[in-house]
Amino acid sequence: MSVEIEAEVEYADELESQGVSLFEGDEGGLEYAQRHALVTLLKQRFISARTHPRDWRVLVEHERLLRSRLNELFLDLQVDRVREVAWKRQAVAEGSARFPTMLYDAAWSREETLVLVHLRDRLRSGLAGGDTRVFIDREDLVGYVASFRPRHATDVAGDEKRARNAVASIAKAGLLIATSTEERFEVSEAVESLIPLELLQELLEALQAANATDVPPESDEPADLFDEES
């Protein structure tokens, strides 16, 4: 453990011992660890037992309390205890009403969509084959995206750059975990929880419609993916 992390842990332990009043005029009702978990949930796309072990333990112990605080912001807490992943979603009002939102919901790009399709397929295949951890190479992902290049596309260099940027974007989102080798990643199990089958189907259909092209006949991986039940 680095000196910086040790100092942060010691500081957190000190704050946790102070109870719920952490600063002058503090009228909050949450302890430090609960507030920390709540802030992490708000800032990050997801938390997991692996990526945020302290926050995950707090969430499991105080799930109802943290859920209520998110609900006050029109957010819904989603928890997958099997894969030990938690994330937030915008709450949906009944009828035609719409709640105010603090989330920026940017659509996945064409290349990011393909990366997600491939990651989910690889993850399911690896876990079904008995692997406890699933790894994938950067070039594998870039090559998969390239296999969907429309026949009329001529900007090969530009397409490759967009594919590599998509891999970097997915890694930044936490769905690809860095390893000791720069060109190799571990696939986060959060992929399956955060990107359910129904959403991937919707994304791929939108992609195919936008490209006005079908899945390449030589690649049956998406078909295998969508034949399975989520």
Side-chain angles (χ1 to χ4, degrees), residues 23-183:
F23 53 87
E24 185 176 355
D26 183 7
E27 296 186 5
L30 299 183
E31 298 176 356
Y32 173 80
Q34 296 165 343
R35 298 186 195 198
H36 192 285
L38 181 61
V39 170
T40 305
L41 277 167
L42 289 170
K43 291 176 62 177
Q44 303 297 324
R45 187 180 292 266
F46 68 93
I47 69 171
S48 70
R50 181 173 181 186
T51 59
H52 303 84
R54 289 169 67 95
D55 291 321
W56 173 257
R57 288 194 297 270
V58 173
L59 183 146
V60 170
E61 185 176 353
H62 303 284
E63 179 180 338
R64 185 174 181 180
L65 177 61
L66 294 175
R67 183 186 301 278
S68 71
R69 296 304 171 112
L70 288 174
N71 290 165
E72 290 172 354
L73 300 175
F74 304 109
L75 298 174
D76 186 27
L77 176 64
Q78 304 287 315
V79 181
D80 185 338
R81 288 179 177 265
V82 175
R83 299 179 182 86
E84 298 185 315
V85 179
W87 66 100
K88 62 189 178 297
R89 285 181 178 170
Q90 183 66 41
V92 179
E94 296 181 0
S96 59
R98 296 187 64 182
F99 293 135
T101 176
M102 60 182 296
L103 298 181
Y104 175 64
D105 188 16
W108 297 108
S109 71
R110 171 189 180 278
E111 290 76 17
E112 289 168 344
T113 299
L114 289 170
V115 170
L116 290 171
V117 169
H118 197 37
L119 288 180
R120 193 180 190 280
D121 191 34
R122 276 297 187 87
L123 179 65
R124 289 179 69 90
S125 297
L127 296 179
D131 296 334
T132 56
R133 300 168 66 183
V134 179
F135 296 88
I136 194 166
D137 293 331
R138 187 190 306 272
E139 293 306 314
D140 185 336
L141 291 167
V142 172
Y144 182 81
V145 174
S147 71
F148 283 79
R149 184 183 297 116
R151 295 182 179 87
H152 61 270
T154 58
D155 185 9
V156 177
D159 288 342
E160 180 177 341
K161 181 178 180 180
R162 284 186 286 273
R164 294 187 181 280
N165 288 341
V167 174
S169 176
I170 298 301
K172 184 177 180 181
L175 298 176
L176 284 171
I177 303 170
T179 67
S180 57
T181 303
E182 184 178 354
E183 297 300 309

